[in-house]
Amino acid sequence: MATPSSTDQICLKLLIDEKKNKVLFAQAGKDFVDVLLSFLTLPLGTIARLVSAESNLTKVSVGSVSSLYESVANIDEKLFWTATCKEMLLQPRNSMERYCQDMKLNIDDTEKAKYFICEDWGCSRQSSGGLFSTFPNQRCKCGKPMNRQIYHRDSSANGRTGEEGCYHMHPEIYAPLSYLEPQTSSGETYSECGGRGFTKGKGLSLYMVTDDLVVTQCSSLSAVSFLSELRVPPSDLEERVITIGKNEGLGLLKASLISSSALTNGLAPFLKPVKESFSDVKPTCIRESSAVSRTLRKKRKVQVKK
């Protein structure tokens, strides 16, 4: 397995209750918060697939959704209208994939959406309009496969841009369109309106994330207020700076679905292992000798009665 590079890792600070071995909250920038917010954009099919993968936590099941996903994977392809019908259930597209793929840490490994039109250019240029699909080799209305890939105007493949990225609105008219980002209503381009992800990266770049994933803007006042509510003695607090990657991101997704202590469970490898005290657990030899002593005492009582 390839070692993750620093470009797809995120640094954050944890405040831990040492006595309970529990994460109270994390202080982090927009990159970590964007990872958490991206959970809300994932289709159920993608969630079922991701949580069944190995990470820093074991595989988990999302109720009956996981078994439903597995059953679809095992159903004969012939029972679907087309092979694409099965593929779109097992590899559903995320409508916000543009934002997730541009984030510093993206846990969704779904292949980026591609766009295909009929292999016959003439079919796509008809005045009645052509068809396009996000899956290759679909059958066009003319009967030919839709395997000619087209590209967005602001992207390129093998250095090709321009006409292939246009939408065909008329046999002789091309209408190049650019995507309007939700971060702006004034038509700026992607780079002009703040860059990747969902949250702002300037000014409001520090957030507080509680163990149950409540996200708020971080300030010294909010942190002190939160700690006072928990009534945790200062002597029990420990700050720890950690770096997480895709495995930890998947772990957080799994923990968020099965626990209200997502940070504690999802980042468990970064916490100290819980040690049982001597007073809580007696050694086996002591337990055995105690049992032997009780047995001997019973035998002595029986002999005295005789």
Side-chain angles (χ1 to χ4, degrees):
M1 181 181 294
T3 304
S5 65
S6 58
T7 56
D8 55 10
Q9 292 185 323
I10 296 173
C11 183
L12 60 148
K13 182 189 293 184
L14 302 180
L15 190 66
I16 300 169
D17 182 339
E18 273 194 304
K19 188 173 182 180
K20 296 181 178 179
N21 204 35
K22 176 183 174 67
V23 177
L24 300 178
F25 66 83
Q27 285 185 336
K30 74 172 260 68
D31 289 327
F32 179 67
V33 172
D34 281 343
V35 172
L36 299 181
L37 298 183
S38 73
F39 295 170
L40 302 177
T41 74
L42 297 174
L44 269 179
T46 300
I47 291 175
R49 175 169 54 81
L50 291 177
V51 299
S52 66
E54 292 292 345
S55 67
N56 63 331
L57 293 186
T58 57
K59 300 177 181 180
V60 302
S61 295
V62 190
S64 300
V65 173
S66 292
S67 55
L68 174 62
Y69 183 90
E70 291 178 8
S71 68
V72 171
N74 295 325
I75 289 179
D76 193 329
E77 204 172 82
K78 296 178 181 178
L79 296 177
F80 295 92
W81 284 109
T82 64
T84 302
C85 290
K86 182 175 181 178
E87 182 183 354
M88 66 189 295
L89 294 172
L90 298 179
Q91 300 281 339
R93 304 298 187 194
N94 184 348
S95 62
M96 292 288 100
E97 71 168 16
R98 179 183 176 94
Y99 295 93
C100 295
Q101 288 176 345
D102 285 331
M103 293 189 311
K104 187 173 183 179
L105 178 61
N106 177 27
I107 66 169
D108 186 2
D109 59 3
T110 305
E111 184 181 4
K112 186 177 180 179
K114 298 178 180 178
Y115 302 92
F116 302 90
I117 60 174
C118 182
E119 66 177 20
D120 183 354
W121 272 114
C123 181
S124 299
R125 293 163 61 96
Q126 294 179 13
S127 58
S128 58
L131 300 175
F132 79 92
S133 173
T134 54
F135 295 92
N137 299 315
Q138 287 280 84
R139 286 291 171 184
C140 181
K141 58 186 178 183
C142 70
K144 295 180 180 179
M146 301 175 65
N147 55 16
R148 182 185 291 273
Q149 187 176 353
I150 59 174
Y151 305 91
H152 291 297
R153 186 175 177 83
D154 61 351
S155 66
S156 63
N158 300 322
R160 295 173 295 175
T161 57
E163 185 175 279
E164 288 182 309
C166 300
Y167 289 88
H168 300 279
M169 307 298 290
H170 186 273
E172 302 301 329
I173 300 176
Y174 298 97
L177 302 176
S178 296
Y179 184 67
L180 179 64
E181 302 297 336
Q183 300 107 312
T184 177
S185 59
S186 55
E188 294 105 332
T189 62
Y190 187 62
S191 59
E192 292 173 339
C193 64
R196 65 190 177 210
F198 304 92
T199 56
K200 293 182 178 180
K202 296 179 180 179
L204 303 176
S205 56
L206 191 61
Y207 298 87
M208 183 172 79
V209 182
T210 61
D211 196 18
D212 57 349
L213 301 188
V214 174
V215 179
T216 57
Q217 185 180 351
C218 187
S219 67
S220 55
L221 181 61
S222 62
V224 170
S225 176
F226 181 71
L227 289 175
S228 65
E229 291 178 7
L230 296 178
R231 297 181 179 179
V232 180
S235 58
D236 291 346
L237 299 178
E238 179 192 357
E239 282 189 354
R240 191 173 302 169
V241 178
I242 65 171
T243 301
I244 67 170
K246 185 174 180 179
N247 275 344
E248 291 76 24
L250 284 174
L252 286 170
L253 174 63
K254 294 176 182 179
S256 69
L257 295 170
I258 60 175
S259 169
S260 59
S261 298
L263 293 184
T264 297
N265 293 318
L267 302 175
F270 294 98
L271 301 179
K272 295 178 181 178
V274 178
K275 296 181 180 179
E276 295 177 311
S277 64
F278 182 81
S279 59
D280 295 332
V281 181
K282 292 183 179 180
T284 305
C285 60
I286 294 178
R287 293 199 299 268
E288 289 179 349
S289 62
S290 299
V292 171
S293 299
R294 286 195 298 271
T295 303
L296 290 175
R297 284 197 296 271
K298 288 181 181 179
K299 286 183 177 180
R300 291 192 189 104
K301 288 180 180 180
V302 172
Q303 290 175 354
V304 170
K305 287 181 181 180
K306 289 181 178 180

